[in-house]
Amino acid sequence: MAVQVASAVPPQSRGSWSSFLKSVASFNGDLSSMTAPPFILSSTSLTEFSSYWAEHPRLFVAPASAQDPAERALLVLKWFLSTLKQQYASRSEKLGSEKKPLNPFLGELFLGKWEDDAGTTQLISEQVSHHPPVTAYSIWNDQHGVRLAGYCGQKASFSRTINIKQVGHALLHIDAFDEDYLITLPSLHIEGLITGSPYIELNSKSYITSSSGYTAKIDYSGKGWISGKRNSFIATLYPSDKTEKDAVYSIDGQWTDQFTIRKGNCKSKDVIDTYDAKANKTTPLSVAPVEQQGELESRRAWAKVAQAIARGDMDTTGREKSLIENQQRELRRKEREDGREWERRYFSKSEQWPVFEKLAKTVEEPVEADKTNGVWEFDGTKFDQWEGIGNGNGNGAAAAATKNGI
């Protein structure tokens, strides 16, 4: 029986989509290296995805105002859950389906800031590795003394659907309490492939564990054949030296819709807060106009490709995309000949990561540096050199770089 393909795939491209799915099913290796059909391409580079961490700056900085460590841990958990809709569902909601992002080139940059009642929150995102692809990021708000730094690579495979394991981690630091939170990254898979309307669903679990002695475990589930709701989760916050049965707080619901925060376990009737992901609007990210950006900045570098995708001009899309990729191959070839390596602008490989090692023991999280071409940390000295600050601390952005040991 023929499969009815949804409108996310143009009628003239349905044959190509079917061929692509067949090639995915028979492909051995990391699917991220496959070339996707042009009509499924996004005009956004993966380096921009780092911005999804802080599109609610008020929630990002909220933990810095809480005096009780358990309440701070809860606010960190609430902020993290608030980021999931933007990170994993905003594109399919906006575009009608999940699109394959543009693969960043080594050294690609994405810079921006949010300005609202939380003050100024700044973002630096850089592609620090191409094989394997890894994006590193630093996000900070000096007014509230909150900083997030991390890096992420992805390994994609096929088993009944496309499964993606995110490799890497993030560390949140709160200056006022000299407190660190290790955030592990959820795994995900792609639903809706057969109908041609792919979307992301999170699976398995992830953790947030803090130096103050609290751990949050988030269990993800989706809509099954018979029951369940899309994008569901149950999160439990408990003392790190105890178990989930000793929950201090719990949160349950849908990360794309509404969730409920309770005191005690998820069966408790002691509701203390609710959150509506659809009602909470994001703060727009300010980015320099394309004509004022440097050649390595994402939106300038991919401008012709993005414009061609927006026009539906797949010939120009492929041609301009290949031009960038060939230029990058030539740069790498020249570097090999000269015996040198591309110098990352804002990040460096770390030889030690004490904060990660200390917190990771709680949740048995491996660093897996071999899968991300190293462990990457924000380098305040490099930041000062490029920004011309010259005070050695990156204007507050890098004060925790060596301290966090990410």
Side-chain angles (χ1 to χ4, degrees), residues 38-340:
F39 60 82
I40 201 64
L41 283 179
S42 166
S43 59
T44 302
S45 169
L46 202 57
T47 55
E48 293 200 29
F49 284 27
S50 302
S51 66
Y52 295 135
W53 283 103
E55 294 194 321
H56 297 289
R58 178 180 56 83
L59 296 178
F60 176 64
V61 304
S65 300
Q67 296 303 308
D68 177 64
E71 184 182 349
R72 285 196 299 276
L74 175 64
L75 290 173
V76 170
L77 174 58
K78 179 183 177 182
W79 156 73
F80 171 77
L81 294 171
S82 78
T83 72
L84 297 180
K85 182 177 186 291
Q86 293 306 115
Q87 296 212 49
Y88 303 110
S90 59
R91 297 174 300 278
S92 58
E93 290 181 355
K94 179 181 178 181
L95 303 173
S97 72
E98 183 68 23
K99 303 286 187 180
K100 185 181 186 299
L102 297 169
N103 288 330
F105 55 82
L106 181 61
E108 184 176 327
L109 300 169
F110 184 66
L111 315 174
K113 61 183 178 180
W114 298 267
E115 294 182 302
D116 59 9
D117 56 6
T120 299
T121 305
Q122 300 188 67
L123 162 71
I124 289 177
S125 180
E126 179 175 3
Q127 192 70 8
V128 292
S129 176
H130 187 65
H131 294 296
V134 178
T135 307
Y137 49 87
S138 180
I139 301 171
W140 70 96
N141 183 300
D142 283 337
Q143 180 178 329
H144 294 271
V146 179
R147 308 187 188 98
L148 179 77
Y151 62 97
C152 179
Q154 297 182 337
K155 295 292 182 181
S157 59
F158 185 86
S159 177
R160 291 185 292 181
T161 187
I162 296 175
N163 301 286
I164 300 172
K165 179 185 178 183
Q166 298 193 95
V167 187
H169 61 268
L171 278 169
L172 181 76
H173 184 82
I174 302 176
D175 287 352
F177 305 98
D178 193 19
E179 199 167 73
D180 296 292
Y181 294 78
L182 170 63
I183 302 167
T184 71
L185 307 176
S187 297
L188 53 107
H189 64 273
I190 308 298
E191 296 279 5
L193 286 175
I194 299 299
T195 62
S197 295
Y199 67 91
I200 289 174
E201 184 65 90
L202 302 181
N203 53 43
S204 191
K205 59 184 178 293
S206 67
Y207 292 93
I208 304 173
T209 187
S210 74
S211 60
S212 65
Y214 289 91
T215 295
K217 179 186 177 186
I218 306 105
D219 288 293
Y220 305 96
S221 62
K223 183 174 175 58
W225 285 102
I226 299 175
S227 63
K229 293 182 179 180
R230 224 193 243 194
N231 316 137
S232 296
F233 74 91
I234 296 175
T236 308
L237 179 69
Y238 53 92
S240 298
D241 59 353
K242 296 185 179 181
T243 68
E244 296 169 70
K245 295 180 181 179
D246 303 291
V248 180
Y249 297 103
S250 60
I251 308 178
D252 64 287
Q254 293 172 276
W255 48 265
T256 47
D257 199 343
Q258 297 181 352
F259 53 79
T260 303
I261 303 175
R262 309 170 194 274
K263 195 168 186 178
N265 62 40
C266 60
K267 295 182 180 180
S268 168
K269 295 182 179 179
D270 190 357
V271 174
I272 60 173
D273 195 7
T274 58
Y275 181 82
D276 188 333
K278 293 181 177 179
N280 277 267
K281 303 302 181 183
T282 60
T283 297
L285 177 70
S286 298
V287 179
V290 170
E291 61 272 14
Q292 295 178 21
Q293 294 182 14
E295 293 183 357
L296 296 179
E297 290 190 59
S298 185
R299 292 186 183 177
R300 177 174 173 180
W302 293 103
K304 292 182 179 179
V305 174
Q307 291 164 6
I309 290 174
R311 294 194 307 267
D313 184 348
M314 295 300 104
D315 289 338
T316 301
T317 296
R319 184 169 61 252
E320 293 294 339
K321 187 168 174 287
S322 295
L323 181 61
I324 293 173
E325 292 166 347
N326 291 334
Q327 288 172 340
Q328 288 297 308
R329 292 189 188 99
E330 180 60 22
L331 279 172
R332 303 289 86 80
R333 184 191 66 78
K334 189 70 167 58
E335 288 167 357
R336 288 193 297 270
E337 289 180 354
D338 295 344
R340 56 189 173 85

Side-chain angles (χ1 to χ4, degrees), residues 326-398:
N326 291 334
Q327 288 172 340
Q328 288 297 308
R329 292 189 188 99
E330 180 60 22
L331 279 172
R332 303 289 86 80
R333 184 191 66 78
K334 189 70 167 58
E335 288 167 357
R336 288 193 297 270
E337 289 180 354
D338 295 344
R340 56 189 173 85
E341 184 178 354
W342 177 265
E343 179 67 28
R344 281 70 173 177
R345 181 173 294 192
Y346 295 109
F347 296 84
S348 296
K349 287 185 183 180
S350 176
E351 299 301 323
Q352 297 180 323
W353 37 90
V355 172
F356 170 84
E357 288 182 326
K358 182 178 180 180
L359 294 177
K361 291 178 182 178
T362 305
V363 293
E364 300 180 348
E365 175 75 1
V367 71
E368 298 185 296
D370 57 318
K371 296 180 180 178
T372 53
N373 195 20
V375 174
W376 297 92
E377 69 173 16
F378 186 72
D379 191 321
T381 301
K382 288 183 176 180
F383 178 89
D384 288 347
Q385 289 172 347
W386 280 102
E387 302 303 318
I389 296 169
N391 60 11
N393 68 9
N395 197 27

